[in-house]
Amino acid sequence: MSPATALRLTWVQPEDLLGHELRQAAEDGRDARAVADIEHRWRTAGGAPAPVRAGAATTPAAPELRRLAVQLLDELDELDELDELDESTPQDPYAEPTELPAIRALCGTVWPSPDPVAGADLDRLHAAWLGRAVGCLLGKPVEKLPLTGIRALARATGNWPLTGYFTARGLSPALAAAYPWNRRSAPTSLAENIDGMPEDDDLNYPLLNLELLRRYGPGFTTRDVAALWLDELPAGRTFTAERVAYRNLLDGVEPPRTARHRNPFREWIGALIRADVHGLTHPGDPGAAAEQVHRDACLTHTANGVYGAMFAAATIASAAGGTADVHSALRAGLAVVPPGSRLARAVRHGIRLARTHTAFDTVVDTLHAAYGTHHWVHVVPNAALLAAALTHADGDFDGSVTRAVSGGWDTDSNGATAGSVAGLLAGHPDAIDPRWTAPLKNQLATSVGDFDGIGFDELAQLTYARCGQSSRSPRCGQSFRRAERVGTTPPRRVR
């Protein structure tokens, strides 16, 4: 088979994973000499660095180079095993365990308590679902584009600072060629093409988590998350850490090892984008939301990847209670993250910048200077940008989603989470300008379960029905086989 006809499956080719794993191993604080030796062997053999933006290199590696990549990934995996023997003593200078008891110990007495006067509100939940869709849709056509490209496209069409969805109307052919829209998203997410909310993983995962709570209740295990994915989530709709974990499940790897085995994306943004429903169903109880999302995140992520999910779930839970402003909601999010971790430091940095600078472009440029060496899907820069956007906009809906997207990196994911939080703070669907919501036509496309075509009002009702349940449950490391419910098959969702 020629390179031109070879199948290039993104995010799982060993020769593409190795470069990402070398970077992740260095970020984890693994044995620097051992990591450098492995990188030298890879480069000496002709191995390439990881693709900068795409999920796979354009041509496959030769068979012998791919075999070497597999071998070296396993050697790096063994370095991880050494750290796992005593994860309660995290590496210096960061305190970054993955297990929940160790996380809580580092957070100490600041772990948030439930708000006794908070409560679930159907209109607020409706606004959150709409907000998530709006922010996601705004960011879809410019996903993967560099910051310079996003600004150039918006300015060329009279949409900077952002005031509406991106458009190709009036765009010069030269600029369109220099910064092509996301090829999968442009046909459904440019202003002139929008006809309802198109499918996106940033909406698929909240749908899956609604189904997760329906099937297994708030006491679900990480094994239950895995079983649901295999039942309902098409493999081709997964990316980065989720795709690697899915492959690991098919190979017989059990959770939580699925998050580490040949998974260099374990600190990227994937777990954060799955956090919404865990927060929405615990209005005013950010601690419980963080504990619940931890079991979800452990399937695919470790350390900062898990913290991103906990930060988002706790922030959303605080905002969902109806008594918090955006700043107290962000404080609740930070309260469940180890304060010395890279994610907590980056979030605090983003918040400080947003409070210091009047011009948000200055905030963004400073964040890109500080975190630009990270991959554009890594959770650390994206969480910093998310917190900065929400802070700078003071929780205003339009300002939150437009700032989150205009800052680049993972534009649709950041827009989606900013939209969730800002929708909750807005409190009612009618508080979101119809220029954002009318094109959605109260209709969401998805390949998950039987949710295709569902309306955001119905999603709010399904979420409301799951609010207020306890999330205390077994730790994420419960064995696949030990957790199996012998002789039972979870029922399918019925609307």
Side-chain angles (χ1 to χ4, degrees):
M1 180 179 292
S2 70
T5 59
L7 176 65
R8 300 299 292 145
L9 184 61
T10 58
W11 308 115
V12 291
Q13 310 285 170
E15 63 271 24
D16 299 325
L17 296 182
L18 186 63
H20 290 300
E21 181 56 54
L22 287 166
R23 179 189 296 180
Q24 181 61 45
E27 291 176 1
D28 285 348
R30 309 304 178 197
D31 186 326
R33 184 175 299 177
V35 172
D37 174 68
I38 290 172
E39 183 169 15
H40 175 74
R41 289 158 60 193
W42 175 242
R43 296 295 177 84
T44 300
V52 175
R53 302 193 75 81
T58 55
T59 57
E64 62 273 14
L65 197 59
R66 176 170 289 186
R67 286 193 292 271
L68 176 62
V70 171
Q71 176 188 333
L72 297 179
L73 282 168
D74 287 343
E75 290 184 24
L76 288 164
D77 218 21
E78 291 174 4
L79 296 178
D80 285 349
E81 288 284 359
L82 293 175
D83 273 8
E84 283 185 336
L85 293 176
D86 188 13
E87 204 170 18
S88 64
T89 308
Q91 72 276 9
D92 184 69
Y94 305 114
E96 297 180 343
T98 298
E99 289 291 329
L100 185 60
I103 293 172
R104 289 204 57 166
L106 287 172
C107 293
T109 58
V110 298
W111 195 263
S113 300
D115 183 343
V117 299
D121 181 273
L122 187 59
D123 288 332
R124 191 178 298 119
L125 295 173
H126 189 179
W129 277 102
L130 281 172
R132 183 163 192 82
V134 166
C136 177
L137 189 56
L138 177 62
K140 278 174 74 66
V142 293
E143 185 183 17
K144 299 183 184 179
L145 289 184
L147 184 61
T148 53
I150 295 171
R151 289 172 171 173
L153 291 167
R155 286 186 176 118
T157 55
N159 190 25
W160 191 266
L162 293 177
T163 57
Y165 294 114
F166 285 90
T167 179
R169 296 190 184 106
L171 192 64
S172 71
L175 194 56
Y179 299 110
W181 305 108
N182 184 291
R183 63 181 178 84
R184 291 187 177 182
S185 299
T188 58
S189 57
L190 292 176
E192 55 269 30
N193 300 333
I194 298 172
D195 185 22
M197 180 64 202
E199 181 168 11
D200 193 274
D201 59 334
D202 291 285
L203 276 297
N204 281 347
Y205 287 114
L207 298 178
L208 277 167
N209 282 332
L210 276 180
E211 178 65 4
L212 176 72
L213 295 178
R214 191 198 69 81
R215 287 193 186 186
Y216 300 106
F220 68 86
T221 65
T222 308
R223 179 268 172 200
D224 295 328
V225 180
L228 178 68
W229 284 22
L230 294 174
D231 281 349
E232 299 291 352
L233 179 61
R237 295 295 189 267
T238 60
F239 306 93
T240 65
E242 284 71 22
R243 182 168 290 183
V244 175
Y246 201 112
R247 179 207 62 193
N248 284 339
L249 289 170
L250 296 176
D251 284 342
V253 179
E254 292 192 6
R257 187 62 191 163
T258 45
R260 282 193 174 271
H261 182 61
R262 299 179 187 169
N263 188 357
F265 314 123
R266 57 190 177 270
E267 289 196 320
W268 288 19
I269 202 173
L272 186 154
I273 71 173
R274 310 202 306 263
D276 272 48
V277 167
H278 302 295
L280 295 176
T281 53
H282 289 89
D285 194 352
E291 292 176 18
Q292 181 165 295
V293 80
H294 183 273
R295 281 173 277 128
D296 179 351
C298 280
L299 178 63
T300 53
H301 288 73
T302 64
N304 290 279
V306 172
Y307 307 157
M310 296 175 71
F311 167 73
T315 300
I316 289 168
S318 180
T323 62
D325 63 10
V326 68
H327 310 292
S328 58
L330 289 169
R331 286 195 296 272
L334 273 172
V336 301
V337 176
S341 64
R342 284 167 283 160
L343 185 125
R345 294 180 183 194
V347 168
R348 292 195 299 267
H349 187 195
I351 291 172
R352 283 196 303 271
L353 289 173
R355 289 173 174 169
T356 302
H357 298 285
T358 302
F360 192 66
D361 284 0
T362 303
V363 175
V364 170
D365 291 340
T366 306
L367 288 174
H368 277 255
Y371 305 107
T373 58
H374 287 78
H375 193 277
W376 64 274
V377 191
H378 199 285
V379 74
V380 166
N382 284 290
L385 175 60
L386 172 66
L390 289 166
T391 299
H392 200 269
D394 197 27
D396 172 73
F397 184 85
D398 288 15
S400 296
V401 295
T402 56
R403 283 168 172 78
V405 170
S406 69
W409 287 319
D410 199 342
T411 50
D412 62 335
S413 295
N414 290 332
T417 304
S420 291
V421 176
L424 289 166
L425 296 171
H428 195 284
D430 293 346
I432 303 175
D433 195 296
R435 79 181 189 279
W436 297 117
T437 57
L440 301 179
K441 298 182 177 179
N442 195 32
Q443 182 174 300
L444 170 62
T446 183
S447 55
V448 172
D450 62 350
F451 286 101
D452 190 43
I454 195 170
F456 298 101
D457 51 353
E458 186 176 355
L459 288 172
Q461 293 168 1
L462 292 171
T463 308
Y464 186 83
R466 301 292 163 190
C467 286
Q469 297 173 308
S470 172
S471 67
R472 287 2 183 223
S473 61
R475 56 189 292 179
C476 71
Q478 186 169 356
S479 165
F480 227 33
R481 285 181 291 271
R482 200 164 61 242
E484 190 169 1
R485 290 169 169 79
V486 179
T488 65
T489 301
R492 293 185 59 83
R493 170 181 172 273
V494 178
R495 288 209 300 269

